[in-house]
């Protein structure tokens, strides 16, 4: 103690103290901070190498040979495996040409190739990983607690998602030709990945916004809604009153006028 | 013991007193139950008058019937729905059979609507009939209105009935709005939220009116019960009352008819109500009911379970009102945001909302209601009209109507700008800008095009009257020429094409009298003459008998045997004579 006390006015003391403080704060932060950036999953070095080859052949022209990004495409360092899996498995990437938004397209790679690409990009920097199977498993309705989970998913969906994706997940328009796509084709894994990576105009819903359980409930709600029989009949695209009004004018009035003409032609 | 004294001596003197009455009773045409009822109600005379009423036959006269029947369908199904619907915003947990909502806290109104849809036998079908019926009701109202407008059926003596109809159409829209707001689902709640915003945008009193309507701050718990009273009690009562007056006035005025041989301003050519129209109209009621039911059985409308319960925080993409409120929503979407400004310290004028939502409705229906009076003032026509105009024969009116519809449609389509954007892969910003432009330039273009089409149709009518109908038969002459043979019109075919009158623009009356004093009405008359000029400057007069005679004469002179109107050689009389002889020879073959 004495030795420390004697050196407390040493010119280096302040620097040492500062260093110590920074180390403690940083260490504590890394210890307490939520783990939203999964480290690259353990994959074989071969897969990473395959992924790199695929990347150089298919992606590097826009994203740069080291995925550092160019004028035509953003950097992929740190986007994580989830992002690659989402973009490539929905056919959004590789992009056919520059556009306001990458549309869903024919998938160009098989599963192994997508996994290799994801592994390569994940090896460049930590980012959201491909979600665990247990969070992308759809909760089946039946038991009260499952039904409750689905209903909770519905509430989360209406508060966070419906304003762009529409109440039935039928999609909606955004500014300047951008749009929120329909969700009926998306797989549970893709929906989860979209939530954690926030592709294109979509905001990121990380695990602090919506917990993995919440995401699973949203996915289950969408599945349950999709599986519901259309009790009311044909849904007219689930687009709300616009398609209903159009239908009333074209078919409702059309059929009734045809009836009136027919009746007018009838001999008295 | 009887109260009548049989043996009163004066009885004999009164023996004849009741004879008239007895005779009258014995000759009464009605026997049995009808007679019994008539003795007590005295309706026979009136009913037989009504049943003998003659109505003309045309499909477009049945548009109003579609409206009437779909309104009755809504009344019937609405009564069913009131048995189960609970107009309350008290929160209850949902425990019905729709799984994705089980356990969610919802309002009682929403819960009871879900129960009607999932747990009450036939409930969903009746709900869908009610909603589809309402949409078709208002569609038919507007179609009927367009028919009345374009045929000039609103002219004297029917102006008041036109005003009644205008009010009816506005009430129908408000009734619809009140109705679809009741289930308290996410979409309708968003609609009420929007309505709250509209009300608040009224300058000065907006926030007070909003508090008054909602019984406090939005959303409160008062709006659903209040709208329920309005929807099932207040507006239906006014609707039915006005509608009855509307129908009674039709009986009083007698129905209008399209021009045709034997149809004049003083008669109605058609069939009596009994038995022809009773059967036709009764049958048509079932047809309308059947079609609405079929549509309701096959197509979902307003899937409130998918929308979820109302909660002020979420909103769904594609939030639109039902179609009849679409034009107001569209106006709102087109109004630029910078119309809002602040003055006098911190006083906000929400001119980005107020004109499109609150002002637009009275303006639109006010203009519609005032039109007959404006037109009769401009044309100076104070006569009664029971013969309808063919729309082409009133080109300016038709063009005004189409311009108005164009303006309405621009607003209407603007309400769906987001869906147009996503379905056609366009930018919503570009669509909005395009529709803003179209709102101003669309109506004049539509006016001009419509007027030109009307005038050329009138000219085509003239040609047809003068030179006959094109037969599609092409004749080849020995010298190689080809010519189409025209067949003459029969007098019955010709009549509708020549019966109308085309007014000439009013002349400005002398602006100063002989002493040089300005006429007190000169300014008004100048405006009137200008408008009259606008209405009637482009006129295509119908063929007069003299013109027809001249045309026939020109045709007939070389060969008297040739039927009138055989060809179109009026303008080339020189060559026509020779050609005529060839054609006449051919005919003889």
């Amino acid at each position: 103690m004495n030795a420390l006390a004697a050196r407390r006015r040493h010119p280096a003391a302040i620097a040492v103290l500062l260093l110590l403080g920074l180390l403690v704060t940083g260490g504590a932060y890394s210890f307490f901070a939520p783990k939203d950036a999964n480290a690259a999953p353990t994959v074989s070095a071969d897969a990473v190498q395959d992924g790199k080859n695929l990347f150089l052949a298919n992606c590097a022209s826009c994203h740069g040979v080291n995925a550092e990004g160019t004028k035509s495409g953003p950097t992929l360092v740190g986007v994580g495996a989830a992002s690659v899996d989402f973009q490539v498995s929905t056919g959004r990437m590789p992009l056919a040409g520059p556009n306001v938004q990458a549309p869903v397209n024919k998938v160009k790679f098989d599963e192994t190739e997508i996994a290799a690409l994801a592994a390569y990009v994940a090896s460049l920097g930590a980012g959201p990983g491909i979600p665990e199977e247990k969070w992308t498993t759809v909760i089946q309705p039946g038991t009260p607690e499952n039904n409750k989970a689905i209903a909770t998913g519905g509430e989360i969906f209406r508060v966070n998602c419906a304003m762009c994706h529409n109440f039935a997940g039928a999609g909606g328009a955004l500014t300047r030709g951008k749009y929120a796509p329909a969700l009926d084709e998306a797989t549970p894994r893709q929906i989860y990945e979209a939530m954690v990576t926030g592709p294109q105009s979509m905001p990121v819903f990380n695990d602090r916004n919506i917990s993995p359980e919440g995401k699973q409930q949203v996915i289950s709600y969408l599945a349950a809604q999709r599986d519901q029989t259309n009790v009311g009949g044909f849904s007219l695209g689930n687009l709300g009153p616009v398609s209903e009004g159009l239908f009333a004018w074209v078919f409702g009035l059309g059929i009734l006028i045809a009836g009136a003409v027919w009746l007018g032609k009838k001999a008295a | 013991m009887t109260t009548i004294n049989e043996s009163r001596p004066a009885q004999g003197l009164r023996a004849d007193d009741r004879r008239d009455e007895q005779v009258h009773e014995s000759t009464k045409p009605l026997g049995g139950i009808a007679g019994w009822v008539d003795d007590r109600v005295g309706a026979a005379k009136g009913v037989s008058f009504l049943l003998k009423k003659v109505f003309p036959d045309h499909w477009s006269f049945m548009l109003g019937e579609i409206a009437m029947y779909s309104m009755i369908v809504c009344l019937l199904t609405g009564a069913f729905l009131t048995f189960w619907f609970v107009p309350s915003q008290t929160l209850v947990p949902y425990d019905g059979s729709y799984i994705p909502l089980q356990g969610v806290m919802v309002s009682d109104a929403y819960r009871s609507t879900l129960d009607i849809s999932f747990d009450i036998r036939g409930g969903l079908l009746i709900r869908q009939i009610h909603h589809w019926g309402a949409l078709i009701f208002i569609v038919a109202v507007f179609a009927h209105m367009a028919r009345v407008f374009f045929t000039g059926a609103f002219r004297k003596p029917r102006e008041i009935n036109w005003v009644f109809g205008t009010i009816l159409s506005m009430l129908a829209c408000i009734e619809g709005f009140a109705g679809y707001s009741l289930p308290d689902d996410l979409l309708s709640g968003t609609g009420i939220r929007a309505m709250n915003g509209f009300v608040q945008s009224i300058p000065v009193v907006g926030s007070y009116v909003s508090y008054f309507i909602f019984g406090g701050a939005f959303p409160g718990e008062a709006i659903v019960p209040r709208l329920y009273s309005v929807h099932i009690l207040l507006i239906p009562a006014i609707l039915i009352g006005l509608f009855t007056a509307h129908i009674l006035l039709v009986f009083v005025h007698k129905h209008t008819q399209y021009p045709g041989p034997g149809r004049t301003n003083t008669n109605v050519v058609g069939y009596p109500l009994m038995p022809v129209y009773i059967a036709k109209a009764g049958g048509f009621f079932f047809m309308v009911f059947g079609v609405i039911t079929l549509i309701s059985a096959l197509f979902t409308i307003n899937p409130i379970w998918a929308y979820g319960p109302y909660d002020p925080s979420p909103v769904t993409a594609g939030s639109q009102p039902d179609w009849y409120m679409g034009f107001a929503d569209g106006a709102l979407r087109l109004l630029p945001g910078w119309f809002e400004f602040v003055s006098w310290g911190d006083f906000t004028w929400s001119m980005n909302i107020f004109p499109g939502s609150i002002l637009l409705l009275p303006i639109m229906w006010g203009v519609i209601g005032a039109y007959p009076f404006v037109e009769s003032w401009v044309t100076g026509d104070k006569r009664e009209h029971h013969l309808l105009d063919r729309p082409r024969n009133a080109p300016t009116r038709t063009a005004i109507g189409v311009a108005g519809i164009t303006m309405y449609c621009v607003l209407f389509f603007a309400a769906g700008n987001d869906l147009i954007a996503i379905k056609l892969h366009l930018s919503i910003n570009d669509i909005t800008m395009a529709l803003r432009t179209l709102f101003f330039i669309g109506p004049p273009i539509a006016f001009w095009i419509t007027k030109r089409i009307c005038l050329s149709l009138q000219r085509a009518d003239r040609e047809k009257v003068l030179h006959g109908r094109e037969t599609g038969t092409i004749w080849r002459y020995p010298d190689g020429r080809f010519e189409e043979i025209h067949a003459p019109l029969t007098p019955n075919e010709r009549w509708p094409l020549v019966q109308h009158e085309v007014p000439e623009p009013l002349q400005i009356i002398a602006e100063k009298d002989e002493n040089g004093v300005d006429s007190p009405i000169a300014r008004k008359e100048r405006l009137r003459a200008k408008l009259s000029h606008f209405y009637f400057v482009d006129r295509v007069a119908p063929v007069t008998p003299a013109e027809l005679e001249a045309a026939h004469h020109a045709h007939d002179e070389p060969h008297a045997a040739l039927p009138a109107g055989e060809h179109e050689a009026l303008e080339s009389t020189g060559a026509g004579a020779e050609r005529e002889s060839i054609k006449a020879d051919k005919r003889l073959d």
Side-chain angles (χ1 to χ4, degrees):
Chain A
M1 277 313 264
N2 264 348
L4 260 182
R7 289 195 170 91
R8 73 184 193 278
R9 297 196 190 280
H10 190 274
I14 188 87
V16 170
L17 208 63
L18 212 61
L19 196 71
L20 209 67
L22 282 172
L23 274 173
V24 170
T25 319
Y29 176 80
S30 69
F31 186 77
F32 289 112
K35 311 276 183 289
D36 58 341
N38 308 18
T42 45
V43 279
S44 66
D46 285 350
V48 173
Q49 189 53 46
D50 288 349
K52 184 165 188 181
N53 293 340
L54 282 168
F55 182 87
L56 289 172
N58 296 287
C59 322
S61 56
C62 296
H63 291 291
V65 280
N66 295 314
E68 75 278 18
T70 68
K71 268 186 286 182
S72 346
T75 175
L76 298 184
V77 175
V79 299
S83 187
V84 177
D85 190 55
F86 173 81
Q87 299 282 358
V88 182
S89 73
T90 55
R92 285 184 166 81
M93 292 291 152
L95 189 60
N99 205 338
V100 282
Q101 187 164 330
V104 173
N105 213 332
K106 205 170 146 264
V107 183
K108 314 278 192 318
F109 300 100
D110 64 24
E111 267 178 52
T112 341
E113 290 168 329
I114 296 171
L117 270 174
Y120 169 66
V121 171
S123 75
L124 300 173
I130 289 166
E132 289 173 49
E133 188 93 15
K134 70 168 178 175
W135 300 128
T136 57
T137 313
V138 171
I139 302 167
Q140 296 301 332
T143 63
E145 61 266 32
N146 282 9
N147 293 354
K148 176 87 183 122
I150 290 169
T152 311
E155 284 187 288
I156 297 172
F157 182 82
R158 281 191 291 277
V159 172
N160 295 287
C161 321
M163 73 278 281
C164 297
H165 286 287
N166 153 306
F167 64 92
L174 302 174
T175 54
R176 299 236 161 269
K178 296 193 282 279
Y179 57 91
L183 301 178
D184 46 356
E185 299 286 313
T187 64
R189 183 158 122 181
Q190 287 163 351
I191 296 172
Y192 193 103
E193 287 167 348
M195 283 192 272
V196 288
T197 61
Q200 317 205 42
S201 304
M202 183 163 161
V204 171
F205 295 94
N206 62 29
D207 289 352
R208 273 164 295 168
N209 294 129
I210 300 174
S211 65
E213 290 87 353
K215 292 191 176 83
Q216 187 187 16
Q217 286 164 346
V218 169
I219 290 165
S220 309
Y221 169 75
L222 285 169
Q225 211 189 31
R226 207 182 300 169
D227 294 343
Q228 280 283 326
T229 40
N230 274 330
V231 284
F234 297 107
S235 67
L236 299 177
N238 269 330
L239 292 174
V242 169
S243 48
E244 294 161 5
L246 202 64
F247 188 87
W249 268 100
V250 176
F251 292 99
L253 188 66
I255 295 170
L256 289 172
I257 285 182
V261 171
W262 175 73
L263 209 60
K265 290 254 187 296
K266 280 291 197 195
Chain B
M1 194 183 128
T2 167
T3 51
I4 300 167
N5 190 350
E6 299 285 350
S7 60
R8 277 165 64 181
Q11 191 69 29
L13 296 173
R14 297 184 186 152
D16 289 347
D17 278 10
R18 296 174 72 87
R19 183 179 290 163
D20 283 350
E21 232 171 284
Q22 281 155 4
V23 167
H24 182 70
E25 226 161 81
S26 65
T27 55
K28 231 179 195 88
L30 292 172
I33 297 172
W36 188 90
V37 172
D38 184 44
D39 288 345
R40 279 146 189 87
V41 182
K45 217 175 154 191
V47 169
S48 94
F49 170 75
L50 287 181
L51 292 182
K52 282 180 199 153
K53 269 276 186 216
V54 167
F55 282 89
D57 220 349
H58 195 270
W59 66 265
S60 72
F61 298 157
M62 291 164 115
L63 293 169
E65 275 183 57
I66 299 176
M68 174 166 81
Y69 299 145
S70 39
M71 187 180 82
I72 294 170
V73 168
C74 285
L75 285 173
L76 293 174
T77 49
F80 177 92
L81 295 175
T82 57
F83 297 161
W84 318 102
F85 180 70
V86 183
S88 156
Q89 282 168 284
T90 313
L91 284 180
V92 290
Y94 175 69
D95 56 359
S97 44
Y98 184 67
I99 289 168
L101 285 172
Q102 277 173 6
V104 177
M105 292 299 283
V106 300
S107 71
D108 222 5
Y110 187 67
R111 181 202 54 78
S112 57
T113 316
L114 282 177
D115 283 351
I116 289 172
S117 307
F118 289 101
D119 296 309
I120 286 160
R121 197 157 298 164
L124 182 59
L125 180 64
I126 299 288
R127 225 197 95 218
Q128 299 205 142
I129 293 176
H130 192 69
H131 205 139
W132 277 120
L135 288 198
I136 289 171
F137 169 45
I138 306 177
V139 166
V141 164
F142 276 67
H144 172 64
M145 201 168 179
R147 197 281 293 169
V148 169
F149 180 84
F150 287 115
T151 57
F154 55 78
R155 289 172 298 172
K156 190 182 172 187
R158 297 184 177 77
E159 299 100 323
I160 293 179
N161 224 13
W162 170 263
V163 173
F164 280 178
T166 309
I167 300 171
L168 276 169
S169 74
M170 186 175 73
L171 284 177
C173 292
I174 297 171
E175 172 72 347
F177 175 82
Y180 78 68
S181 299
L182 290 179
D184 202 26
D185 58 291
L186 184 54
L187 188 65
S188 73
T190 308
I192 296 183
R193 177 53 147 172
M195 190 257 276
N196 176 45
F198 302 161
V199 169
Q200 285 178 331
S201 76
I202 303 172
V204 186
V205 293
S207 47
Y208 302 97
V209 178
S210 163
Y211 267 58
F212 175 71
I213 292 174
F214 287 88
F218 176 86
E221 293 205 336
I223 190 69
V224 167
R226 285 180 182 182
L227 282 176
Y228 187 62
S229 299
V230 168
H231 180 72
I232 70 160
L233 200 68
L234 182 64
I235 298 183
I238 306 174
L239 263 183
I240 291 170
L242 260 182
F243 156 76
T244 312
H246 197 67
I247 293 284
L248 280 178
L249 277 179
V250 170
F251 277 93
V252 168
H253 295 139
K254 302 180 182 60
H255 207 288
T256 50
Q257 55 189 344
Y258 283 102
R263 298 179 184 178
T264 69
N265 230 356
T266 50
N267 70 2
V268 182
V269 178
Y271 299 102
L273 197 58
M274 183 77 192
V276 176
Y277 279 102
I278 291 280
K280 279 200 178 192
F284 198 46
F285 169 71
F286 289 109
M287 203 187 270
V288 171
F289 205 158
V291 168
I292 293 175
T293 308
L294 192 69
I295 290 175
S296 310
L298 293 177
F299 296 95
T300 313
I301 189 162
N302 198 21
I304 51 139
W305 55 90
Y307 294 137
Y310 184 59
D311 166 356
S313 54
V315 68
T316 164
S319 289
Q320 268 95 5
D322 271 7
W323 77 262
Y324 40 85
M325 283 290 159
F327 74 102
D329 188 36
L332 214 57
R333 289 174 192 227
L334 292 189
L335 276 167
W338 46 263
F339 272 19
E340 181 176 88
F341 52 91
V342 177
S343 69
W344 297 327
D346 55 352
F347 200 88
T348 307
W349 298 85
S350 297
M351 288 305 130
N352 51 343
I353 298 174
F354 181 63
S357 53
I358 301 288
L359 274 187
L360 182 68
L361 275 69
I363 287 178
M364 186 181 107
W365 272 289
V367 167
I368 294 173
Y371 184 79
F373 304 99
V374 174
E375 192 188 285
S376 82
W377 180 73
V378 170
T379 59
D381 188 353
K382 306 290 178 212
R383 296 165 301 162
E384 290 207 353
H385 291 278
H386 300 286
L387 275 180
L388 296 171
D389 276 331
R390 298 170 80 219
R392 68 183 64 173
N393 291 339
T396 307
R397 179 203 298 146
T398 305
I400 289 174
V402 173
I405 290 176
T406 307
M407 200 176 236
Y408 178 89
C409 283
V410 169
L411 296 181
F412 182 61
F413 285 111
N417 60 356
D418 54 336
L419 291 176
I420 297 172
I422 195 165
K423 290 293 161 196
L424 301 181
H425 302 286
L426 293 168
S427 158
I428 193 169
N429 307 51
D430 297 345
I431 292 172
T432 305
M433 282 314 294
L435 287 173
R436 277 176 187 163
T437 318
L438 215 52
F439 179 79
F440 293 103
I441 66 162
I445 294 174
F447 178 89
W448 186 80
I449 293 176
T450 312
K451 196 168 168 187
R452 289 295 128 193
I453 290 176
C454 286
L455 290 170
S456 56
L457 283 171
Q458 277 184 288
R459 285 195 193 97
D461 282 351
R462 265 186 73 91
E463 288 295 299
K464 204 164 155 189
V465 170
L466 287 174
H467 310 305
R469 178 170 47 83
E470 295 176 352
T471 57
T473 312
I474 310 288
W475 288 58
R476 188 181 177 189
Y477 294 88
D479 58 4
R481 282 179 301 114
F482 290 92
E483 199 175 341
E484 189 183 4
I485 302 305
H486 286 225
L489 296 180
T490 65
N492 278 0
E493 286 173 324
R494 192 191 306 130
W495 177 253
L497 307 182
V498 296
Q499 49 74 38
H500 61 287
E501 55 182 35
V502 178
E504 293 191 45
L506 293 176
Q507 297 302 313
I508 301 178
I509 55 155
E511 295 200 9
K512 293 181 196 302
D513 61 13
E514 61 272 26
N515 299 321
V517 179
D518 283 343
S519 163
I521 53 166
R523 179 185 291 194
K524 220 167 130 189
E525 284 304 306
R526 237 186 343 259
L527 173 68
R528 189 166 158 184
K530 252 184 207 159
L531 285 171
S532 178
H533 182 78
F534 167 74
Y535 263 82
F536 301 122
V537 67
D538 299 312
R539 56 194 295 272
V540 178
V543 178
T544 60
E547 282 178 305
L548 192 63
E549 189 56 36
H552 287 185
H553 207 59
H555 297 178
D556 295 352
E557 207 160 46
H559 296 277
L562 194 74
E566 181 72 18
H567 67 108
E568 76 288 68
L570 188 62
E571 53 285 324
S572 56
T573 40
E578 197 188 331
R579 217 186 294 169
E580 212 49 59
S581 60
I582 300 164
K583 214 188 279 176
D585 292 345
K586 285 273 184 192
R587 279 184 64 85
L588 291 173
D589 294 343

